[in-house]
Amino acid sequence: VGLAARLREVRGELPQRAQFAGPRRVAGRRQVVGERLPRLVEAQIGRHRHLVHARLVPHRHARVRGLDVERQRGPLAAGRTSWTSIYNWVDNPEVVVIGLGKPVRFGPAATQAVVGIDLFLANICDYLAALDVSPGARVFIVERDGTLVANSHGDSRRRGADGPPQLRPVAEAADPLIRLAARDVQAAGGFAGIREPHLATFSADGARYFLRVSPWQDRLGLDWLIAVVVPEADFTATITANLRMTLAAGAALLLLALALAVLMARFISHPVRRIEAAAKAVAAGDFDTPLPRTAYREFNRLSHAFDDMTRRLRAAFREVEVAHDELEQKVAQRTEELREANDELERLSRQDS
């Protein structure tokens, strides 16, 4: 395309009736095709001169090998670089292309010719299929009259009973989702009236789809519409997956929190049970059971207070026991004294009698 757009001068020895000549690749090998081939011609491209094989087709020839010359009359009539309409190669009708032609003049007689480059529609389909839009997306290109130029899924051509394959209407596309999108656009007024990006939604088989149709033109005369269909599930799938991950993470965190709570309850309840056992021992009169230390400061403080209480209780009980023993001794002594005094009184009473 750059060569066709920037070619300024072509010089060289050309045949009197030039037909199609140009390079192509067959099975990975470069070949030059054409019945009456010109020599390598010298082309001025910017500041540099190159030896190139040129496709030089005088407009007076109606049809030559591999090229429909009538398709090149558009660039000749316009007098500038422009696109042709879509056509099949003459020598290989299976190949569907769109050409970019630039009118040039060469030779002493200023013979008119067209330097052309073909763009394969199959390559456009491959490019659309390689686009990473979304897993279920469809991308297709249509002309204003609804002819399917290329698409990301399926063949844009259809075969008749005889003759070369032709482009099919987009409403008859091989992919059912593209057909549904085309019918939705046609129900809204068709492709011809779309001048601004067209947004729409439609449903099929319980699924919802988003559709965007955007016009695309260039300064060389191309006027196509590019449509993208994306299932809503491709957007919500990520949201649903994130929601599931969030729920799974929340459930895992909840289980972890419960496990930590049970573990902490065990760590906390164990010292509490020890304090309970020590309190029962104190209640039973055992003041010599110390509380073990733990990793918790609060329980250690409680253990210290409990041990201090048991020490004081033990000391108090010992004092009570000592006082009780002293009291018993005093009571026994007084009882003995009273018994002796009573005996003395009885003896004196007998003497008086």
Side-chain angles (χ1 to χ4, degrees), residues 55-331:
R55 284 174 45 178
L56 302 175
V57 183
H59 69 278
R60 64 178 178 272
H61 295 292
R63 188 175 295 272
V64 295
R65 185 181 184 89
L67 179 68
D68 189 347
V69 179
E70 292 298 327
R71 304 288 182 173
Q72 301 294 339
R73 291 188 180 275
L76 285 173
R80 61 181 178 86
T81 303
S82 60
W83 293 97
T84 68
S85 58
I86 298 173
Y87 64 95
N88 300 74
W89 274 7
V90 175
D91 61 343
N92 186 3
E94 297 293 326
V95 179
V96 184
V97 298
I98 182 172
L100 180 65
K102 177 179 177 63
V104 296
R105 293 179 182 272
F106 63 91
T111 305
Q112 286 188 338
V114 174
V115 178
I117 297 175
D118 289 336
L119 182 62
F120 294 81
L121 297 191
N123 291 346
I124 302 179
C125 292
D126 294 339
Y127 173 78
L128 297 180
L131 293 177
D132 186 13
V133 180
S134 70
R138 302 290 188 273
V139 185
F140 59 96
I141 300 174
V142 297
E143 292 186 328
R144 291 283 177 180
D145 60 357
T147 301
L148 181 62
V149 177
N151 66 96
S152 59
H153 291 71
D155 194 352
S156 60
R157 304 171 302 171
R158 66 178 177 184
R159 299 180 179 274
D162 53 357
Q166 300 295 328
L167 296 181
R168 67 178 74 195
V170 67
E172 301 177 8
D175 186 79
L177 186 54
I178 295 179
R179 292 199 303 269
L180 291 173
R183 292 170 187 172
D184 183 81
V185 174
Q186 290 174 348
F191 292 96
I194 297 178
R195 302 300 174 186
E196 298 292 336
H198 171 74
L199 301 177
T201 58
F202 62 93
S203 299
D205 298 330
R208 192 181 181 200
Y209 299 90
F210 297 100
L211 170 65
R212 177 186 175 93
V213 183
S214 302
W216 192 89
Q217 300 94 12
D218 66 355
R219 60 184 179 83
L220 302 179
L222 201 61
D223 187 11
W224 285 347
L225 296 166
I226 301 176
V228 180
V229 184
V230 180
E232 185 183 37
D234 288 355
F235 295 99
T236 58
T238 303
I239 299 175
T240 304
N242 292 337
L243 180 60
R244 290 176 179 174
M245 291 179 61
T246 302
L247 293 177
L253 290 176
L254 179 60
L255 293 177
L256 180 61
L258 291 175
L260 290 176
V262 172
L263 188 61
M264 290 182 64
R266 289 184 178 180
F267 276 109
I268 293 174
S269 62
H270 186 65
V272 171
R273 287 196 296 268
R274 290 184 176 181
I275 293 175
E276 180 186 6
K280 290 181 179 180
V282 170
D286 184 5
F287 300 101
D288 297 326
T289 304
L291 288 177
R293 299 297 178 260
T294 64
Y296 303 101
R297 292 183 300 176
E298 292 76 8
F299 284 108
N300 290 335
R301 292 175 183 175
L302 181 60
S303 298
H304 283 296
F306 190 86
D307 291 341
D308 184 64
M309 180 191 69
T310 54
R311 284 195 299 269
R312 293 185 180 183
L313 286 174
R314 183 169 55 250
F317 271 90
R318 288 178 179 175
E319 291 178 358
V320 169
E321 290 178 353
V322 171
H324 181 266
D325 293 338
E326 291 179 352
L327 181 60
E328 286 183 347
Q329 290 179 0
K330 290 181 179 180
V331 170

